[in-house]
Amino acid sequence: MATRAGLDQVLVVRAAAELADTLGLNEVTLATLAEKLGVRTPTLYHYVDGLAGLRREIALLACRELTQNLGKSIMGKAGEEAVLAMAQAYRSFVNTHPGLYSATVQAADPADQELVAAQTEVVEVAIQTLASYHFEKEDAIHAVRMLRSLVHGFATLESSGGFGIPLDLNETFRRLLTTFLTALALPH
Amino acid sequence: MATRAGLDQVLVVRAAAELADTLGLNEVTLATLAEKLGVRTPTLYHYVDGLAGLRREIALLACRELTQNLGKSIMGKAGEEAVLAMAQAYRSFVNTHPGLYSATVQAADPADQELVAAQTEVVEVAIQTLASYHFEKEDAIHAVRMLRSLVHGFATLESSGGFGIPLDLNETFRRLLTTFLTALALPH
DNA sequence: GATTATAATCTAATAGTATTAGACAAATCC
DNA sequence: GGATTTGTCTAATACTATTAGATTATAATC
């Protein structure tokens, strides 16, 4: 027994991410992950610091992927076009990677600088997107918070099936953003 | 042994709700709950259908309390004043009952009519609040979704510590709402 | 190529959950 | 006061995470 499985941390965390997106973040246990990888649970301790460590790695991966997706979505775009593209990318990420997205939203241990930094980077992209609006310092922060609240709120409610009525969600989302952008364009 | 503890379902679920708000929803286990109530775990099965049943009861309680709070907040108010009051009540609920609020947002089993109805009622209050804007049918639904996304998004991000920078959150929230209301007031 | 060292995986054991079954005692009913 | 119901318990099972330490596969060295 004990033929090597050829694992490494990246592979393990990726497998966990897949489980998160298919079964839900809460169903990612060392047991299910070990089974998926064809290995016994204690083996995972060589790649990850227990369940808590695994969750942290998932969150890190998730933040990085989201940041990357958002970054790509606004390449070569600016102003309203960029905001719309980013918002769509955000929403799309929530829907294709519901488990990973959940991981990005969980409160991080403030002492965990690496994770906090990864979470901050997501916000940085949003700030960049709004740069062309030339807000005063504080106005920019408020604007980013507003945009984030709105996109996060819509995306999570949609993802959890919170919108019961079967009326076009794309239309709601489009209106949500244009309403916000219209209001931003007004004198402030 | 076996002196009676004088429990009933309401008492058990209330205790669970307290645990949810102090320790977090995920820390509500039959073990912690039993200990809080001075009883052994199997006893709880007489009041609640296992852990899954307990969670469902918590969600039900949470939805009802939130609905009640929102309802109270808009009594005797209308228009913009009502929307602002409701939004503040919503946010305040999220902050004073973080555990319960989490429970209201979790996706319900669509077959669980009672819970689905309780979740829907929360939305009904929002619809009522927007009634004075006299939207066309579909416009009303979009408007409610938008308001909900925005309030939910802000409240959950605030609650989970998602806003890192220490800049007045009340101000952000105020702007978020007035921006939305301003845009709603524009011809549509 | 044999030997040694390192690293990956395993088994075994402990402790904490949820859950079910069934015993026993306390309250209630007649 | 005896019978019944109801609340709580103990005991047992099955799952999870975690730690310790044995074992084996690969890599490194001579």
Side-chain angles (χ1 to χ4, degrees):
Chain A
M1 317 154 188
T3 63
R4 303 217 164 169
L7 302 177
D8 62 34
Q9 209 211 39
V10 173
L11 218 147
V12 168
V13 177
R14 262 190 220 295
E18 275 177 37
L19 280 182
D21 283 337
T22 52
L23 306 181
L25 190 57
N26 289 331
E27 310 311 316
V28 179
T29 66
L30 295 182
T32 55
L33 179 55
E35 192 187 9
K36 181 183 170 85
L37 293 169
V39 108
R40 303 294 177 139
T41 1
T43 302
L44 298 176
Y45 284 77
H46 263 83
Y47 300 104
V48 127
D49 192 9
L51 183 61
L54 176 63
R55 293 204 170 124
R56 178 184 177 271
E57 293 300 331
I58 295 174
L60 262 179
L61 176 68
C63 287
R64 286 171 183 161
E65 296 230 328
L66 178 55
T67 300
Q68 213 178 331
N69 278 26
L70 297 185
K72 268 189 200 158
S73 76
I74 58 168
M75 274 174 50
K77 300 200 176 85
E80 184 167 326
E81 194 195 6
V83 176
L84 286 171
M86 196 208 63
Q88 285 294 358
Y90 196 103
R91 185 184 162 210
S92 158
F93 187 88
V94 175
N95 283 300
T96 55
H97 299 292
L100 280 189
Y101 182 69
S102 299
T104 67
V105 179
Q106 308 254 327
D109 174 5
D112 186 345
Q113 295 188 12
E114 197 178 1
L115 182 52
V116 170
Q119 287 184 336
T120 308
E121 267 189 69
V122 177
V123 182
E124 302 276 326
V125 177
I127 293 178
Q128 235 182 296
T129 308
L130 292 177
S132 55
Y133 286 84
H134 300 104
F135 291 109
E136 301 291 322
K137 255 190 170 178
E138 298 206 339
D139 288 347
I141 296 175
H142 288 305
V144 168
R145 283 179 177 172
M146 284 157 55
L147 178 60
R148 204 172 157 217
S149 295
L150 182 151
V151 175
H152 167 78
F154 182 89
T156 54
L157 285 173
E158 177 186 22
S159 168
S160 70
F163 297 123
I165 309 154
L167 176 66
D168 191 5
L169 285 165
N170 290 301
E171 174 62 15
T172 300
F173 194 61
R174 216 209 78 246
R175 288 188 189 205
L176 187 59
L177 290 170
T178 54
T179 299
F180 174 69
L181 292 173
T182 303
L184 273 193
L186 298 176
H188 50 269
Chain B
M1 320 152 187
T3 63
R4 305 218 162 168
L7 303 177
D8 62 35
Q9 210 212 39
V10 173
L11 218 148
V12 168
V13 177
R14 262 191 219 296
E18 274 177 38
L19 280 182
D21 283 338
T22 52
L23 306 180
L25 190 57
N26 289 331
E27 309 310 315
V28 180
T29 65
L30 294 182
T32 55
L33 180 55
E35 192 186 10
K36 181 182 170 85
L37 293 169
V39 107
R40 302 297 177 138
T41 1
T43 303
L44 299 176
Y45 284 77
H46 263 84
Y47 301 103
V48 128
D49 191 9
L51 183 61
L54 176 64
R55 293 205 171 123
R56 177 183 179 272
E57 293 300 329
I58 295 173
L60 261 178
L61 176 69
C63 286
R64 287 170 182 162
E65 296 231 327
L66 178 55
T67 300
Q68 213 178 332
N69 278 26
L70 297 185
K72 268 188 199 159
S73 75
I74 58 167
M75 274 173 51
K77 300 201 177 82
E80 183 166 326
E81 193 193 8
V83 176
L84 287 171
M86 195 209 64
Q88 285 294 357
Y90 196 104
R91 186 183 163 210
S92 157
F93 187 87
V94 175
N95 283 300
T96 55
H97 300 292
L100 280 189
Y101 182 70
S102 300
T104 67
V105 180
Q106 309 254 327
D109 174 5
D112 187 344
Q113 295 188 11
E114 198 178 1
L115 182 52
V116 170
Q119 287 185 336
T120 307
E121 267 189 69
V122 177
V123 182
E124 303 276 328
V125 177
I127 293 178
Q128 236 180 295
T129 310
L130 292 177
S132 56
Y133 286 84
H134 300 104
F135 291 109
E136 302 291 323
K137 256 191 171 178
E138 297 206 340
D139 288 347
I141 296 176
H142 288 305
V144 168
R145 282 179 178 172
M146 284 157 57
L147 178 59
R148 204 170 157 219
S149 295
L150 182 150
V151 175
H152 167 77
F154 182 90
T156 54
L157 285 172
E158 176 185 24
S159 168
S160 68
F163 297 122
I165 309 155
L167 177 66
D168 191 4
L169 284 165
N170 291 301
E171 174 60 17
T172 300
F173 194 61
R174 216 208 78 247
R175 288 189 189 203
L176 188 59
L177 290 169
T178 53
T179 299
F180 174 70
L181 292 173
T182 303
L184 274 192
L186 296 177
H188 49 268

